[in-house]
């Protein structure tokens, strides 16, 4: 299996992942689940342990923070086959992590992992394991591959009962007073607020300054409420303490960078404000929006920008305001950014091979080409027949890399 499971935040992807893992266990295989951050990996571990209550299963968590003694125990139990389910972060990719019989790999929020990183998990068993990737927003590269047919797609297209679609608004900075009034109204109703600042990679100092200024501004504008801050440079313990303060409702406003993009579940948070929203890609904006709308109350996402917006930025803001659909957003993202390099590791931008085809416009033609290719391989799997020699030669020329990236989601 090489399957993409697309479903919005809170639609039940973790439950599906657990059911598939249990099927692997029934067939005497081990399973692992990899998430991009410690917060998310820990959240998966806790929710899965809760669902498995009363069942005699060996499940462990492996992250960068795992103690040496814990790691040694995990490594020994993996090799012996005693450990059935391993949940963790990039730590799962280390060479020292060896399984007895890995049958299933589940990757959550796959757009946060590089293609080469995901490939490492394929090598953890002599027979490559089944792979299930889960996301709320397929990245353009993955979307392009679904057109090519290398990934099967399953979609959870419903929100859980009682959930309302998130209302998204685009405000310019001159609406700041209206926004503050709206924030105060929501907090008075007992709700909580996220305020996210962009990460400008060229200047970490500038990032921190933005964030620190944002914290000061929110503290000055809302002195009667508690405002806390989270960013990627904080120590894990500090970050967790700030997140816990917010999750427990002790702080009403959380000022953060995109470190909160995945895996934070605070049902009481109803407003997501994204500052300088034009600096974010569509996939990231959709992920951030997914942090709210987890309770039964109406939730809002406010995109704040300056007046000077380029054409692409304007399009991105309009798409976000008009749609809550992950696939629709990914398609729009693909039109704006290109699908990435299908045979390589580039994740966006137009691939040089496609001189004429357009992956969005030519979907039916590409599907037809895929069917023709399958028919040729069914008839001549090794491409040895005379009529297939040109194809054979061309494929050999293209296969410069050992690893066939196009098979990896």
């Amino acid at each position: 299996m090489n399957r993409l499971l697309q479903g919005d935040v809170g639609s039940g992807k973790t439950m599906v992942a657990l059911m598939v893992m249990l099927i692997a266990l029934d067939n005497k295989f081990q399973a692992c689940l990899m998430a991009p951050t410690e917060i998310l990996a820990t959240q998966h571990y806790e929710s899965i342990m809760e669902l498995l209550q009363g069942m005699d299963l060996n499940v462990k968590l492996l992250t960068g923070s795992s103690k040496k003694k814990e790691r040694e125990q995990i490594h020994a139990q993996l090799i012996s086959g005693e450990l059935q389910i391993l949940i963790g972060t990039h730590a799962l990719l280390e060479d020292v992590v060896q399984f007895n019989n890995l049958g299933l790999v589940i990757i959550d929020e796959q757009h946060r992992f590089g293609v080469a990183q995901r490939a490492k998990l394929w090598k953890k068993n002599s027979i490559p394991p089944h792979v299930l990737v889960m996301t709320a927003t397929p990245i353009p590269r993955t979307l392009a591959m679904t057109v090519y047919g290398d990934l099967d797609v399953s979609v959870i297209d419903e929100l859980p009962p009682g959930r309302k679609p998130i209302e998204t608004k685009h405000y310019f900075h001159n609406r700041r007073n209206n926004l503050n009034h709206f924030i105060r109204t929501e907090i008075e109703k007992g709700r909580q607020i996220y305020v996210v600042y962009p990460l400008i990679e060229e200047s970490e100092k500038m990032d921190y300054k933005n964030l620190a200024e944002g914290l000061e501004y929110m503290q000055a504008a809302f002195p009667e409420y508690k405002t806390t801050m989270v960013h990627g440079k904080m120590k894990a313990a500090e970050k967790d303490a700030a997140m816990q303060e917010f999750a427990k409702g002790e702080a009403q406003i959380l000022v953060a960078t995109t470190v909160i993009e995945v895996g934070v579940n605070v049902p009481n948070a109803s407003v997501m404000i994204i500052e300088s929203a034009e600096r974010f890609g569509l996939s990231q904006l959709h992920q951030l929006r997914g942090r709210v709308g987890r309770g039964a109350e109406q939730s809002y996402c406010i995109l704040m920008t300056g007046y000077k917006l380029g054409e692409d930025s304007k399009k991105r803001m309009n798409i976000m305001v008009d749609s809550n659909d992950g696939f629709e957003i990914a398609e729009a993202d693909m039109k704006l950014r290109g699908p990435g390099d299908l045979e390589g590791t580039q994740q966006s931008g137009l691939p040089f091979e496609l001189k004429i085809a357009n992956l969005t416009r030519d979907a039916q033609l590409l599907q037809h080409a895929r069917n023709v290719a399958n028919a040729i391989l069914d008839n001549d799997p090794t491409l040895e027949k005379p009529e297939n020699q040109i194809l054979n030669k061309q494929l050999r020329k293209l296969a410069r890399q050992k690893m066939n990236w196009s098979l990896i989601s």
Side-chain angles (χ1 to χ4, degrees):
M1 175 178 72
N2 197 26
R3 182 172 293 276
L4 169 69
L5 175 64
Q6 197 266 359
D8 258 321
V9 234
S11 60
K13 295 189 293 294
T14 307
M15 179 62 82
V16 172
L18 177 60
M19 298 305 285
V20 184
M21 287 195 277
L22 292 176
I23 293 169
L25 266 51
D26 278 347
N27 288 282
K28 307 290 180 282
F29 284 95
Q30 292 165 301
C32 73
L33 191 159
M34 185 166 75
T37 64
E38 279 197 28
I39 294 175
L40 186 52
T42 307
Q43 193 170 295
H44 275 307
Y45 175 73
E46 286 167 359
S47 59
I48 281 171
M49 288 305 283
E50 204 178 311
L51 291 164
L52 291 175
Q53 238 172 359
M55 292 178 75
D56 184 23
L57 290 176
N58 190 347
V59 183
K60 290 276 195 297
L61 176 68
L62 178 66
T63 69
S65 306
S66 300
K67 303 274 186 295
K68 193 182 175 199
K69 200 176 174 186
E70 266 179 278
R71 285 169 177 270
E72 285 168 357
Q73 188 192 24
I74 286 171
H75 296 155
Q77 289 188 358
L78 274 181
I79 293 284
S80 69
E82 195 185 328
L83 180 52
Q84 294 155 295
I85 296 176
L86 181 61
I87 296 166
T89 54
H90 299 75
L92 302 189
L93 300 171
E94 291 169 10
D95 292 339
V96 69
V97 179
Q98 294 295 325
F99 292 80
N100 177 290
N101 191 18
L102 180 63
L104 174 69
V105 169
I106 295 174
I107 302 170
D108 196 19
E109 300 301 345
Q110 101 286 6
H111 66 287
R112 295 287 290 267
F113 292 99
V115 185
Q117 284 178 316
R118 302 198 291 268
K120 277 191 173 181
L121 287 165
W122 279 50
K123 295 176 179 174
K124 299 273 181 187
N125 200 18
S126 51
I127 304 164
H130 293 293
V131 177
L132 176 68
V133 292
M134 306 193 298
T135 185
T137 311
I139 51 168
R141 179 181 181 280
T142 308
L143 186 72
M145 283 169 46
T146 64
V147 172
Y148 269 61
D150 295 307
L151 261 183
D152 293 317
V153 184
S154 296
V155 181
I156 303 175
D157 60 0
E158 292 176 13
L159 287 172
R163 283 268 297 270
K164 298 184 179 82
I166 299 157
E167 270 187 42
T168 305
K169 312 270 186 200
H170 173 210
Y171 285 175
F172 292 114
H173 291 315
N174 66 341
R175 300 281 300 277
R176 186 72 58 188
N177 289 341
N178 299 37
L179 179 64
N180 288 353
H181 175 70
F182 174 64
I183 290 171
R184 187 166 271 107
T185 308
E186 284 295 299
I187 296 177
E188 281 167 5
K189 288 182 194 167
R191 312 273 176 266
Q192 288 164 282
I193 317 290
Y194 290 107
V195 187
V196 176
Y197 285 82
L199 212 74
I200 309 154
E201 282 167 14
E202 291 80 18
S203 165
E204 281 172 10
K205 281 180 188 167
M206 204 164 148
D207 290 342
Y208 185 73
K209 185 166 168 277
N210 273 0
L211 199 65
E213 281 175 3
L215 180 70
E216 276 174 34
Y217 175 81
M218 294 311 278
Q219 284 170 335
F222 304 98
E224 68 274 41
Y225 299 121
K226 175 84 193 280
T227 302
T228 188
M229 176 171 77
V230 173
H231 59 84
K233 294 279 179 276
M234 287 164 85
K235 289 188 175 125
E238 290 174 352
K239 207 188 295 178
D240 287 345
M243 279 309 314
Q244 284 309 314
E245 198 176 24
F246 188 66
K248 287 175 185 165
E250 291 161 14
Q252 286 74 41
I253 300 168
L254 178 67
V255 173
T257 57
T258 54
V259 72
I260 58 119
E261 182 186 340
V262 292
V264 185
N265 189 4
V266 183
N268 192 45
S270 68
V271 181
M272 166 63 71
I273 295 158
I274 305 174
E275 294 286 348
S276 305
E278 71 273 18
R279 294 186 187 275
F280 295 89
L282 273 172
S283 165
Q284 228 174 4
L285 289 170
H286 184 64
Q287 285 289 338
L288 286 166
R289 175 167 63 184
R291 295 302 102 216
V292 294
R294 292 170 158 254
E297 306 306 324
Q298 179 61 58
S299 290
Y300 305 90
C301 175
I302 314 290
L303 308 170
M304 298 297 290
T305 71
Y307 286 110
K308 290 181 181 175
L309 287 182
E311 275 310 303
D312 276 3
S313 298
K314 276 183 198 161
K315 281 179 190 165
R316 282 205 302 277
M317 298 309 116
N318 291 339
I319 290 158
M320 285 298 295
V321 170
D322 293 342
S323 177
N324 268 306
D325 182 301
F327 262 119
E328 215 173 279
I329 286 165
E331 262 185 60
D333 205 9
M334 185 168 78
K335 283 177 190 168
L336 289 173
R337 293 199 303 161
D341 179 0
L342 299 170
E343 288 290 331
T345 50
Q346 181 187 331
Q347 295 246 347
S348 71
L350 287 167
F352 66 89
E353 295 103 322
L354 302 180
K355 300 282 195 297
I356 300 167
N358 174 314
L359 286 178
T360 312
R361 188 193 61 217
D362 301 328
Q364 280 183 307
L365 180 62
L366 287 163
Q367 187 58 57
H368 177 65
R370 172 81 190 168
N371 295 343
V372 170
N374 276 335
I376 291 169
L377 288 172
D378 288 344
N379 185 32
D380 182 14
T382 52
L383 297 178
E384 285 171 1
K385 292 185 177 177
E387 64 268 31
N388 293 329
Q389 285 314 294
I390 294 172
L391 265 179
N392 194 330
K393 194 177 169 186
Q394 188 64 15
L395 282 170
R396 283 177 189 279
K397 193 174 152 189
L398 286 171
R400 294 189 190 105
Q401 288 168 304
K402 258 189 185 177
M403 176 63 74
N404 181 0
W405 298 115
S406 68
L407 289 176
I408 297 162
S409 52

